[in-house]
Amino acid sequence: MGDVVYGYNGNVFAYSLSDEKFIWETPALTRQLIVTEDYVIHSDPTITALDRKTGEQRWHVPKEEAILQSSRPHIAFTNGTIAAADEEGNLIGTRNGTVRWQQSIPSNRSQSSPGRVTTVRLLSSSENLIRIVRRDQEITRKHGTPEIQRTYVDAFSHDGTPVFHYEFSGYPTGSMVTESRLYLARLLPSISTTDQGTSYPDELTSITVIDTTSGEIVGKRIIPLDHNTIRGIFGFAATDGEPITVQNHRLHRLTPSTLTTKWSSEPFPDQPRQIAVGANTIYAAVGGDSKQSQVRCIDAATGDTIWTESVKADRISQLILVDESLFISTSKPNQLIRLRA
């Protein structure tokens, strides 16, 4: 039996599965965690490595040695290197607290015209790092929305060498890397005109698939959105190398080659906010009223519901799958609920 390490509400917790108790806790305003065999790595306010067994600090990157500007950068792990990207698009690679390389977003993308550049996600694949950046540029438009959104996708090797770059319209709503494929969802606002001459947004979601080694675009799909839901696709997961999307109160499993839908689950009472993927099952959670939340177990092959269970918690913050056991972190500090898997 191992342990469960997770971050929530300004702290990092480690929970022993064999002893069924918390073994250490330390303050950390984490955006995300990277858990390796020896370390727990977080970014608050710079990249810090904790001993996985004790929670004690082992190394950190001094802020004055890095070009990162934001207090909690995005982090990723690849080939023994921890990479971090701040909100302004700067990127560094570090080993054991020593900065090995640095990259800044090109000035013609950040300074040539008014607008804000924001790092949305930093992902690692088998070969390269993938940085996804959103750009919001305000413009003057007679009809329609007063801004233009762009999505930048940059790939870097583990030593920081640029590999490929893409610029897309719209802004990113979800992304995932699996089996050397980047799945990127973008919201595409378009302008339609009625007979009366008034304009309104007609929103679509585009899924683009990029080979993270060659940089080749290997798949595309446009999906009309249901305006009764929260902006369509907002997240991805994967099982057997196939993408699971969260869209319109349902989970959908897509065929990688064509991006067509293999199955859709029965609708949830609300949009699922957390997903955990096991060998043959998918777990999804939605928040309920002030006292109850819901966890559903879904057959990964068919999309059928295997079981549904209510949890006495106003909000489920994380689903954690370890050794075929499902753990739930809730809005209460130091609360970890173990469910059947």
Side-chain angles (χ1 to χ4, degrees):
M1 300 290 283
D3 57 10
V4 178
V5 180
Y6 67 99
Y8 179 70
N9 199 25
N11 291 277
V12 178
F13 302 93
Y15 180 85
S16 171
L17 298 179
S18 57
D19 297 333
E20 296 188 344
K21 66 179 182 181
F22 288 91
I23 52 179
W24 57 262
E25 170 188 346
T26 188
L29 296 174
T30 59
R31 181 196 296 274
Q32 62 190 112
L33 292 177
I34 294 174
V35 181
T36 70
E37 184 177 348
D38 300 315
Y39 299 122
V40 178
I41 300 160
H42 67 89
S43 52
D44 171 36
T46 184
I47 304 140
T48 301
L50 309 175
D51 188 287
R52 179 164 177 168
K53 294 181 179 179
T54 66
E56 297 177 356
Q57 180 176 307
R58 292 304 181 206
W59 53 259
H60 78 287
V61 179
K63 193 169 184 178
E64 59 271 14
E65 294 184 11
I67 59 175
L68 302 180
Q69 304 298 317
S70 57
S71 61
R72 290 191 292 157
H74 300 263
I75 55 178
F77 181 73
T78 178
N79 290 343
T81 297
I82 301 296
D86 66 12
E87 291 298 327
E88 286 71 35
N90 300 309
L91 182 69
I92 69 167
T94 177
R95 287 177 181 260
N96 298 326
T98 301
V99 176
R100 300 296 182 92
W101 52 264
Q102 301 185 359
Q103 291 282 355
S104 296
I105 197 164
S107 59
N108 63 343
R109 282 194 256 156
S110 59
Q111 304 295 334
S112 60
S113 57
R116 183 183 179 191
V117 172
T118 306
T119 296
V120 175
R121 197 92 185 270
L122 186 63
L123 300 167
S124 60
S125 69
S126 57
E127 295 294 331
N128 299 315
L129 289 164
I130 307 296
R131 180 182 63 190
I132 300 171
V133 172
R134 170 178 173 175
R135 168 116 181 239
D136 295 314
Q137 180 182 352
E138 295 184 0
I139 63 171
T140 301
R141 182 182 286 173
K142 185 176 181 180
H143 297 293
T145 55
E147 62 179 15
I148 291 177
Q149 292 97 21
R150 307 292 291 177
T151 298
Y152 301 139
V153 177
D154 292 280
F156 302 87
S157 65
H158 64 272
D159 63 1
T161 303
V163 178
F164 62 81
H165 164 73
Y166 280 101
E167 180 176 343
F168 299 105
S169 61
Y171 69 82
T173 58
S175 55
M176 174 192 70
V177 168
T178 178
E179 295 189 353
S180 298
R181 294 290 188 271
L182 166 66
Y183 292 87
L184 174 67
R186 293 171 290 123
L187 189 68
L188 304 176
S190 60
I191 301 300
S192 300
T193 304
T194 67
D195 294 338
Q196 290 76 28
T198 57
S199 298
Y200 62 93
D202 179 21
E203 294 176 338
L204 304 172
T205 288
S206 172
I207 300 179
T208 303
V209 188
I210 302 174
D211 186 299
T212 59
T213 301
S214 66
E216 180 185 1
I217 293 179
V218 294
K220 294 181 181 179
R221 184 184 176 190
I222 299 293
I223 303 175
L225 297 192
D226 180 349
H227 285 272
N228 294 323
T229 64
I230 305 174
R231 296 209 178 244
I233 294 175
F234 81 89
F236 283 93
T239 180
D240 296 332
E242 297 191 350
I244 305 295
T245 66
V246 182
Q247 180 192 9
N248 302 347
H249 292 201
R250 299 173 184 264
L251 300 187
H252 308 265
R253 182 167 179 168
L254 306 183
T255 302
S257 57
T258 62
L259 295 178
T260 53
T261 302
K262 295 185 70 172
W263 55 251
S264 297
S265 70
E266 62 179 297
F268 288 81
D270 197 359
Q271 192 85 293
R273 295 294 181 181
Q274 295 83 30
I275 302 174
V277 178
N280 302 299
T281 50
I282 303 167
Y283 305 91
V286 296
D289 54 27
S290 60
K291 296 181 180 180
Q292 294 288 332
S293 296
Q294 183 189 99
V295 177
R296 188 180 299 175
C297 176
I298 295 170
D299 187 304
T302 65
D304 296 335
T305 297
I306 299 174
W307 53 258
T308 300
E309 191 161 326
S310 296
V311 179
K312 292 183 178 180
D314 59 348
R315 183 163 58 89
I316 295 174
S317 59
Q318 294 180 65
L319 294 178
I320 308 167
L321 193 60
V322 180
D323 295 337
E324 300 304 319
S325 292
L326 181 66
F327 294 86
I328 297 171
S329 167
T330 73
S331 56
K332 295 182 180 180
N334 293 75
Q335 183 181 49
L336 199 64
I337 300 173
R338 189 172 189 169
L339 286 185
R340 52 182 170 163

